[in-house]
Structure formats: structure tokens, C-alpha cells
Amino acid sequence: MNSFSILFFFKIKITFVKNQLLKTHLSIASFTPQNKTIVTIGTFDGVHIGHQKILKKITQIANEENYESVVLTFFPHPRMVLQQDNSIKLLNTISEKEKLFKNIGIDHLIIHPFDEEFSKLSAEDFVKKILVDQLNIQKIVIGYDHRFGKDRSANLDDLIEFGIKYNFEVEQISAEEINNNAVSSTKIRNSLLDGDIETANSYLGYSYDFTGTVIKGKQLGRTIGFPTANISIEEEYKLLPKNGVYIVQTRIDSTDYFGMMNIGTRPTIDGTTQSIEVYILDFDKEIYNTKLTVSILKFIREEKKFESFEHLKEQIEKDKITTIKFVSSR
């Protein structure tokens, strides 16, 4: 093996190892850098294809310059704190976001608790006390519209001035680079609420999913030959698509299964509360108390009230045929 081959192998090996070592820190104070860092900051809800461009850029620079790559994000969402808006629904839970950052190859994810005291930090104090003193920043990569500091008073130009003063680089990601087809977290949320799964998934760069625990339901599906897994989601802020029937995919014991999911109030039995039920094709094991991650692939139809269980069964049979045809075409 010549010297070039050895060097190439070494670089590939190091990159592979780094991609497996995401460390999550639950506050800025708990992070102690071992090296200079390259940082990006944001909510990153959805970690969509626009976000991924920023994240891949900082991992690339980190590998080339031997920096530690750092994502600084916040929870709860600032709107939950500053506007007391508990109705906001997010595309990702903390654990989902962590998995996405790990897959991209980020070294450190800092999830800092956002509160009123933190929101009052001036722009320069944020830069000096946090980015410089705490994060040991060498470079920051930021979106074109990023604002920071008390009342979001500082912008990119201010950050560049602080970079000169405190000796770190600032790189801007342009609107064109971020907004591939004008993608945004808001547009993804609206697509999901419209049942437009294909658009949402294309903007995300992956299939929208959620994780929940299988709980016992009324077991009415068994009476018509379609036993379902009733799923309870712990995180109330997790956004679900509009009520209706969907084609989904889940993994159980390292095996992928397709199926159908109904989100809604089950009007045929005069239900009043929202439930999530998944019928898994070619599967008959008991999975109560199991955690399932369900990926949503396609919207089939609206939820509706049927005259009888027999009519409901007939429709589910049609939904099953639709699902099998979709799976066969993939």
C-alpha cells in the first residue's frame, strides 16, 4: 500500500469514527471543547434538506480543519417561552433530532434550555460568553436570515463585526443554498396537515415518522379481521398529519413491515378522541408495550363514518389492495 493509499484509508477511517460519536449535551455549560469548534445555531425543526446543506458543510470543514462540529439548538421552542404558545407543534422530538444529527456526522449537539433569562442575553454577551468563552469557536456557519441576542436585535452584519473583534470566521449560507425549492419547516408542517406526504417527504429528504408505544385498545379491529396496533405518543408537541388513512412502514425485530395507519376519531363507533391505529401486513405477533417507529409514506383517503362494520371492512379491504399495489411498485 503506497503512502497516498495509506493517507486515504486513514482519512476515511477517521471520518467514519467521527460520524459514530455524536455527543449530546443538555446545556451549554456541560460542553467542554477539546479543540477549536465550528458552530451552527438554530431550531432545525425537521432537519430538512435546507438544514442538511448547512450541517454537511460544517462536518466537511470540521474534517478538513480538525475542528469539532457543534450544533447549538434550544428546547423548549422559543415561542413556547416568549409567547406562551403551547399549541405549537414540532416536526421532531429531541430523540428524533439527535438521530438525524448523528446520521449527518455532527460531533456535538447542545440542547440548551431556553428560558426568559437566556432570552435577555445581549448579542455581544451571547457571542463573548457563549460562542467564544464556552464553545471555543473558530468558525460559525449561519443562515442568511439568522438573528440573535435580546429581542433578536442582531443580524449577520453584527455577527461579522463580532467575528472580527473576537477572532473567529463567519460564513453565510445564502437563501439560494438553503431554500432548495423554497423549502421551510413551515411548508413541511402545512404539507403534512394537508395530507401531502410526498411533498413533505421530498422537503425533508426522508420519510416523516413518529415513535410511540403500542397500547391496548378496544380490539374492535380483530372482530373484522384487521387487528391494529394502537400507538400512544408521549411527546404532545409532536406534529401528526391530518386525520385519515395512510400507507406506512415500520421495523420490528430488524424486519421492515408495511401497513396502513388510521389517524382520527373512529367516527364509525362514534369516537371522540384522536387515536393512532396501525394495521401491519403479514404480521400476527403480540407487541404490546413495544416502541414502534412508524414512517409515513402516502395518504390514501379521508377518515369517514360508515353505516356498519361490514361497510368499514369492505373499505379497509380496498385500502389494503391500494397499499399492496403501492408497496409492489416501490
Side-chain angles (χ1 to χ4, degrees), residues 48-72:
H48 58 60
I49 57 176
H51 296 144
Q52 291 166 30
K53 288 190 175 183
I54 297 177
L55 298 169
K56 289 175 182 177
K57 181 179 283 287
I58 73 166
T59 58
Q60 176 187 348
I61 295 171
N63 287 333
E64 291 172 352
E65 303 294 336
N66 197 30
Y67 300 150
E68 294 178 77
S69 57
V70 177
V71 172
L72 174 58

PDB file of all heavy atoms in Angstrom, residues 48-72:
ATOM      1  N   HIS A  48     -34.467  19.441   7.674  1.00  0.00           N
ATOM      2  CA  HIS A  48     -34.835  19.213   6.285  1.00  0.00           C
ATOM      3  C   HIS A  48     -33.651  19.433   5.345  1.00  0.00           C
ATOM      4  O   HIS A  48     -32.523  19.697   5.791  1.00  0.00           O
ATOM      5  CB  HIS A  48     -36.034  20.085   5.905  1.00  0.00           C
ATOM      6  CG  HIS A  48     -35.833  21.554   6.096  1.00  0.00           C
ATOM      7  ND1 HIS A  48     -34.837  22.277   5.445  1.00  0.00           N
ATOM      8  CD2 HIS A  48     -36.506  22.472   6.859  1.00  0.00           C
ATOM      9  CE1 HIS A  48     -34.904  23.543   5.784  1.00  0.00           C
ATOM     10  NE2 HIS A  48     -35.903  23.702   6.646  1.00  0.00           N
ATOM     11  N   ILE A  49     -33.897  19.314   4.031  1.00  0.00           N
ATOM     12  CA  ILE A  49     -32.790  19.333   3.076  1.00  0.00           C
ATOM     13  C   ILE A  49     -32.047  20.671   3.068  1.00  0.00           C
ATOM     14  O   ILE A  49     -30.859  20.714   2.745  1.00  0.00           O
ATOM     15  CB  ILE A  49     -33.272  18.976   1.650  1.00  0.00           C
ATOM     16  CG1 ILE A  49     -34.384  19.920   1.184  1.00  0.00           C
ATOM     17  CG2 ILE A  49     -33.723  17.526   1.601  1.00  0.00           C
ATOM     18  CD1 ILE A  49     -34.827  19.665  -0.253  1.00  0.00           C
ATOM     19  N   GLY A  50     -32.735  21.752   3.442  1.00  0.00           N
ATOM     20  CA  GLY A  50     -32.035  23.028   3.575  1.00  0.00           C
ATOM     21  C   GLY A  50     -31.096  23.030   4.760  1.00  0.00           C
ATOM     22  O   GLY A  50     -29.936  23.441   4.659  1.00  0.00           O
ATOM     23  N   HIS A  51     -31.592  22.534   5.896  1.00  0.00           N
ATOM     24  CA  HIS A  51     -30.739  22.404   7.083  1.00  0.00           C
ATOM     25  C   HIS A  51     -29.546  21.492   6.795  1.00  0.00           C
ATOM     26  O   HIS A  51     -28.422  21.758   7.243  1.00  0.00           O
ATOM     27  CB  HIS A  51     -31.532  21.795   8.245  1.00  0.00           C
ATOM     28  CG  HIS A  51     -32.664  22.641   8.728  1.00  0.00           C
ATOM     29  ND1 HIS A  51     -33.851  22.100   9.166  1.00  0.00           N
ATOM     30  CD2 HIS A  51     -32.793  23.987   8.850  1.00  0.00           C
ATOM     31  CE1 HIS A  51     -34.657  23.072   9.548  1.00  0.00           C
ATOM     32  NE2 HIS A  51     -34.050  24.226   9.358  1.00  0.00           N
ATOM     33  N   GLN A  52     -29.806  20.410   6.078  1.00  0.00           N
ATOM     34  CA  GLN A  52     -28.758  19.420   5.827  1.00  0.00           C
ATOM     35  C   GLN A  52     -27.584  20.011   5.062  1.00  0.00           C
ATOM     36  O   GLN A  52     -26.443  19.588   5.242  1.00  0.00           O
ATOM     37  CB  GLN A  52     -29.350  18.224   5.089  1.00  0.00           C
ATOM     38  CG  GLN A  52     -30.299  17.387   5.940  1.00  0.00           C
ATOM     39  CD  GLN A  52     -31.127  16.409   5.128  1.00  0.00           C
ATOM     40  OE1 GLN A  52     -30.688  15.927   4.088  1.00  0.00           O
ATOM     41  NE2 GLN A  52     -32.337  16.111   5.599  1.00  0.00           N
ATOM     42  N   LYS A  53     -27.852  21.015   4.218  1.00  0.00           N
ATOM     43  CA  LYS A  53     -26.750  21.655   3.490  1.00  0.00           C
ATOM     44  C   LYS A  53     -25.806  22.364   4.457  1.00  0.00           C
ATOM     45  O   LYS A  53     -24.582  22.306   4.302  1.00  0.00           O
ATOM     46  CB  LYS A  53     -27.315  22.643   2.472  1.00  0.00           C
ATOM     47  CG  LYS A  53     -27.967  21.962   1.286  1.00  0.00           C
ATOM     48  CD  LYS A  53     -28.288  22.953   0.183  1.00  0.00           C
ATOM     49  CE  LYS A  53     -28.818  22.232  -1.045  1.00  0.00           C
ATOM     50  NZ  LYS A  53     -29.067  23.159  -2.173  1.00  0.00           N
ATOM     51  N   ILE A  54     -26.379  23.044   5.430  1.00  0.00           N
ATOM     52  CA  ILE A  54     -25.551  23.705   6.443  1.00  0.00           C
ATOM     53  C   ILE A  54     -24.771  22.671   7.243  1.00  0.00           C
ATOM     54  O   ILE A  54     -23.565  22.798   7.464  1.00  0.00           O
ATOM     55  CB  ILE A  54     -26.419  24.554   7.385  1.00  0.00           C
ATOM     56  CG1 ILE A  54     -27.119  25.680   6.629  1.00  0.00           C
ATOM     57  CG2 ILE A  54     -25.576  25.134   8.518  1.00  0.00           C
ATOM     58  CD1 ILE A  54     -28.055  26.520   7.485  1.00  0.00           C
ATOM     59  N   LEU A  55     -25.463  21.639   7.700  1.00  0.00           N
ATOM     60  CA  LEU A  55     -24.850  20.636   8.567  1.00  0.00           C
ATOM     61  C   LEU A  55     -23.744  19.866   7.846  1.00  0.00           C
ATOM     62  O   LEU A  55     -22.681  19.593   8.421  1.00  0.00           O
ATOM     63  CB  LEU A  55     -25.924  19.681   9.075  1.00  0.00           C
ATOM     64  CG  LEU A  55     -27.013  20.336   9.933  1.00  0.00           C
ATOM     65  CD1 LEU A  55     -28.174  19.384  10.159  1.00  0.00           C
ATOM     66  CD2 LEU A  55     -26.455  20.820  11.259  1.00  0.00           C
ATOM     67  N   LYS A  56     -23.974  19.526   6.596  1.00  0.00           N
ATOM     68  CA  LYS A  56     -22.939  18.811   5.837  1.00  0.00           C
ATOM     69  C   LYS A  56     -21.731  19.703   5.581  1.00  0.00           C
ATOM     70  O   LYS A  56     -20.589  19.233   5.552  1.00  0.00           O
ATOM     71  CB  LYS A  56     -23.526  18.287   4.529  1.00  0.00           C
ATOM     72  CG  LYS A  56     -24.487  17.127   4.728  1.00  0.00           C
ATOM     73  CD  LYS A  56     -25.161  16.699   3.430  1.00  0.00           C
ATOM     74  CE  LYS A  56     -26.146  15.563   3.687  1.00  0.00           C
ATOM     75  NZ  LYS A  56     -26.876  15.168   2.455  1.00  0.00           N
ATOM     76  N   LYS A  57     -21.991  20.993   5.419  1.00  0.00           N
ATOM     77  CA  LYS A  57     -20.878  21.927   5.213  1.00  0.00           C
ATOM     78  C   LYS A  57     -19.991  22.001   6.448  1.00  0.00           C
ATOM     79  O   LYS A  57     -18.766  21.986   6.349  1.00  0.00           O
ATOM     80  CB  LYS A  57     -21.408  23.316   4.857  1.00  0.00           C
ATOM     81  CG  LYS A  57     -20.315  24.348   4.609  1.00  0.00           C
ATOM     82  CD  LYS A  57     -20.891  25.688   4.248  1.00  0.00           C
ATOM     83  CE  LYS A  57     -21.375  25.720   2.816  1.00  0.00           C
ATOM     84  NZ  LYS A  57     -20.257  25.763   1.831  1.00  0.00           N
ATOM     85  N   ILE A  58     -20.613  22.072   7.639  1.00  0.00           N
ATOM     86  CA  ILE A  58     -19.766  22.200   8.832  1.00  0.00           C
ATOM     87  C   ILE A  58     -19.048  20.881   9.154  1.00  0.00           C
ATOM     88  O   ILE A  58     -17.926  20.906   9.667  1.00  0.00           O
ATOM     89  CB  ILE A  58     -20.528  22.737  10.063  1.00  0.00           C
ATOM     90  CG1 ILE A  58     -21.465  21.714  10.672  1.00  0.00           C
ATOM     91  CG2 ILE A  58     -21.271  24.013   9.744  1.00  0.00           C
ATOM     92  CD1 ILE A  58     -21.943  22.117  12.050  1.00  0.00           C
ATOM     93  N   THR A  59     -19.656  19.745   8.832  1.00  0.00           N
ATOM     94  CA  THR A  59     -18.940  18.485   9.059  1.00  0.00           C
ATOM     95  C   THR A  59     -17.767  18.366   8.094  1.00  0.00           C
ATOM     96  O   THR A  59     -16.694  17.871   8.458  1.00  0.00           O
ATOM     97  CB  THR A  59     -19.865  17.262   8.897  1.00  0.00           C
ATOM     98  OG1 THR A  59     -20.441  17.255   7.590  1.00  0.00           O
ATOM     99  CG2 THR A  59     -20.972  17.287   9.928  1.00  0.00           C
ATOM    100  N   GLN A  60     -17.950  18.839   6.874  1.00  0.00           N
ATOM    101  CA  GLN A  60     -16.862  18.812   5.899  1.00  0.00           C
ATOM    102  C   GLN A  60     -15.703  19.693   6.361  1.00  0.00           C
ATOM    103  O   GLN A  60     -14.533  19.263   6.345  1.00  0.00           O
ATOM    104  CB  GLN A  60     -17.366  19.293   4.537  1.00  0.00           C
ATOM    105  CG  GLN A  60     -16.275  19.383   3.480  1.00  0.00           C
ATOM    106  CD  GLN A  60     -16.768  20.028   2.194  1.00  0.00           C
ATOM    107  OE1 GLN A  60     -17.958  20.210   1.987  1.00  0.00           O
ATOM    108  NE2 GLN A  60     -15.838  20.396   1.323  1.00  0.00           N
ATOM    109  N   ILE A  61     -16.018  20.916   6.783  1.00  0.00           N
ATOM    110  CA  ILE A  61     -14.967  21.827   7.252  1.00  0.00           C
ATOM    111  C   ILE A  61     -14.307  21.286   8.511  1.00  0.00           C
ATOM    112  O   ILE A  61     -13.080  21.366   8.675  1.00  0.00           O
ATOM    113  CB  ILE A  61     -15.553  23.229   7.505  1.00  0.00           C
ATOM    114  CG1 ILE A  61     -16.047  23.840   6.197  1.00  0.00           C
ATOM    115  CG2 ILE A  61     -14.511  24.142   8.164  1.00  0.00           C
ATOM    116  CD1 ILE A  61     -16.834  25.128   6.374  1.00  0.00           C
ATOM    117  N   ALA A  62     -15.103  20.711   9.415  1.00  0.00           N
ATOM    118  CA  ALA A  62     -14.541  20.144  10.646  1.00  0.00           C
ATOM    119  C   ALA A  62     -13.532  19.050  10.331  1.00  0.00           C
ATOM    120  O   ALA A  62     -12.448  18.979  10.948  1.00  0.00           O
ATOM    121  CB  ALA A  62     -15.664  19.605  11.522  1.00  0.00           C
ATOM    122  N   ASN A  63     -13.855  18.199   9.371  1.00  0.00           N
ATOM    123  CA  ASN A  63     -12.934  17.118   8.993  1.00  0.00           C
ATOM    124  C   ASN A  63     -11.668  17.672   8.344  1.00  0.00           C
ATOM    125  O   ASN A  63     -10.558  17.189   8.612  1.00  0.00           O
ATOM    126  CB  ASN A  63     -13.628  16.147   8.039  1.00  0.00           C
ATOM    127  CG  ASN A  63     -14.651  15.272   8.743  1.00  0.00           C
ATOM    128  OD1 ASN A  63     -14.530  15.004   9.938  1.00  0.00           O
ATOM    129  ND2 ASN A  63     -15.665  14.846   8.022  1.00  0.00           N
ATOM    130  N   GLU A  64     -11.832  18.696   7.519  1.00  0.00           N
ATOM    131  CA  GLU A  64     -10.670  19.248   6.808  1.00  0.00           C
ATOM    132  C   GLU A  64      -9.744  20.027   7.742  1.00  0.00           C
ATOM    133  O   GLU A  64      -8.520  19.994   7.575  1.00  0.00           O
ATOM    134  CB  GLU A  64     -11.154  20.167   5.679  1.00  0.00           C
ATOM    135  CG  GLU A  64     -11.844  19.423   4.542  1.00  0.00           C
ATOM    136  CD  GLU A  64     -12.493  20.368   3.535  1.00  0.00           C
ATOM    137  OE1 GLU A  64     -12.527  21.592   3.826  1.00  0.00           O
ATOM    138  OE2 GLU A  64     -12.963  19.897   2.484  1.00  0.00           O
ATOM    139  N   GLU A  65     -10.318  20.738   8.712  1.00  0.00           N
ATOM    140  CA  GLU A  65      -9.531  21.631   9.563  1.00  0.00           C
ATOM    141  C   GLU A  65      -9.282  21.088  10.965  1.00  0.00           C
ATOM    142  O   GLU A  65      -8.695  21.767  11.809  1.00  0.00           O
ATOM    143  CB  GLU A  65     -10.246  22.993   9.676  1.00  0.00           C
ATOM    144  CG  GLU A  65     -10.521  23.676   8.346  1.00  0.00           C
ATOM    145  CD  GLU A  65      -9.251  24.078   7.631  1.00  0.00           C
ATOM    146  OE1 GLU A  65      -8.205  24.254   8.304  1.00  0.00           O
ATOM    147  OE2 GLU A  65      -9.298  24.208   6.392  1.00  0.00           O
ATOM    148  N   ASN A  66      -9.773  19.885  11.224  1.00  0.00           N
ATOM    149  CA  ASN A  66      -9.624  19.254  12.536  1.00  0.00           C
ATOM    150  C   ASN A  66     -10.302  20.063  13.642  1.00  0.00           C
ATOM    151  O   ASN A  66      -9.780  20.221  14.746  1.00  0.00           O
ATOM    152  CB  ASN A  66      -8.152  19.038  12.890  1.00  0.00           C
ATOM    153  CG  ASN A  66      -7.984  18.037  14.029  1.00  0.00           C
ATOM    154  OD1 ASN A  66      -8.800  17.122  14.189  1.00  0.00           O
ATOM    155  ND2 ASN A  66      -6.944  18.205  14.819  1.00  0.00           N
ATOM    156  N   TYR A  67     -11.496  20.589  13.341  1.00  0.00           N
ATOM    157  CA  TYR A  67     -12.335  21.236  14.342  1.00  0.00           C
ATOM    158  C   TYR A  67     -13.342  20.226  14.873  1.00  0.00           C
ATOM    159  O   TYR A  67     -13.571  19.176  14.276  1.00  0.00           O
ATOM    160  CB  TYR A  67     -13.130  22.403  13.732  1.00  0.00           C
ATOM    161  CG  TYR A  67     -12.323  23.520  13.128  1.00  0.00           C
ATOM    162  CD1 TYR A  67     -12.839  24.251  12.062  1.00  0.00           C
ATOM    163  CD2 TYR A  67     -11.063  23.873  13.626  1.00  0.00           C
ATOM    164  CE1 TYR A  67     -12.128  25.302  11.494  1.00  0.00           C
ATOM    165  CE2 TYR A  67     -10.347  24.915  13.059  1.00  0.00           C
ATOM    166  CZ  TYR A  67     -10.883  25.623  11.988  1.00  0.00           C
ATOM    167  OH  TYR A  67     -10.177  26.659  11.434  1.00  0.00           O
ATOM    168  N   GLU A  68     -13.955  20.560  15.997  1.00  0.00           N
ATOM    169  CA  GLU A  68     -15.123  19.822  16.458  1.00  0.00           C
ATOM    170  C   GLU A  68     -16.376  20.518  15.911  1.00  0.00           C
ATOM    171  O   GLU A  68     -16.500  21.744  16.026  1.00  0.00           O
ATOM    172  CB  GLU A  68     -15.178  19.794  17.986  1.00  0.00           C
ATOM    173  CG  GLU A  68     -14.038  19.022  18.631  1.00  0.00           C
ATOM    174  CD  GLU A  68     -14.133  19.073  20.152  1.00  0.00           C
ATOM    175  OE1 GLU A  68     -14.968  18.346  20.719  1.00  0.00           O
ATOM    176  OE2 GLU A  68     -13.375  19.852  20.758  1.00  0.00           O
ATOM    177  N   SER A  69     -17.274  19.753  15.306  1.00  0.00           N
ATOM    178  CA  SER A  69     -18.503  20.344  14.773  1.00  0.00           C
ATOM    179  C   SER A  69     -19.562  20.372  15.868  1.00  0.00           C
ATOM    180  O   SER A  69     -19.799  19.381  16.553  1.00  0.00           O
ATOM    181  CB  SER A  69     -19.005  19.551  13.561  1.00  0.00           C
ATOM    182  OG  SER A  69     -19.218  18.187  13.883  1.00  0.00           O
ATOM    183  N   VAL A  70     -20.207  21.543  16.015  1.00  0.00           N
ATOM    184  CA  VAL A  70     -21.154  21.755  17.107  1.00  0.00           C
ATOM    185  C   VAL A  70     -22.449  22.348  16.551  1.00  0.00           C
ATOM    186  O   VAL A  70     -22.419  23.344  15.817  1.00  0.00           O
ATOM    187  CB  VAL A  70     -20.574  22.708  18.176  1.00  0.00           C
ATOM    188  CG1 VAL A  70     -21.607  22.980  19.266  1.00  0.00           C
ATOM    189  CG2 VAL A  70     -19.286  22.143  18.773  1.00  0.00           C
ATOM    190  N   VAL A  71     -23.565  21.751  16.918  1.00  0.00           N
ATOM    191  CA  VAL A  71     -24.884  22.329  16.654  1.00  0.00           C
ATOM    192  C   VAL A  71     -25.441  22.808  17.990  1.00  0.00           C
ATOM    193  O   VAL A  71     -25.552  22.028  18.941  1.00  0.00           O
ATOM    194  CB  VAL A  71     -25.852  21.307  16.028  1.00  0.00           C
ATOM    195  CG1 VAL A  71     -27.264  21.889  15.955  1.00  0.00           C
ATOM    196  CG2 VAL A  71     -25.373  20.920  14.634  1.00  0.00           C
ATOM    197  N   LEU A  72     -25.776  24.095  18.046  1.00  0.00           N
ATOM    198  CA  LEU A  72     -26.404  24.661  19.236  1.00  0.00           C
ATOM    199  C   LEU A  72     -27.878  24.897  18.922  1.00  0.00           C
ATOM    200  O   LEU A  72     -28.211  25.675  18.033  1.00  0.00           O
ATOM    201  CB  LEU A  72     -25.725  25.974  19.632  1.00  0.00           C
ATOM    202  CG  LEU A  72     -26.377  26.763  20.778  1.00  0.00           C
ATOM    203  CD1 LEU A  72     -26.469  25.921  22.047  1.00  0.00           C
ATOM    204  CD2 LEU A  72     -25.614  28.060  21.033  1.00  0.00           C
TER     205      LEU A  72
END
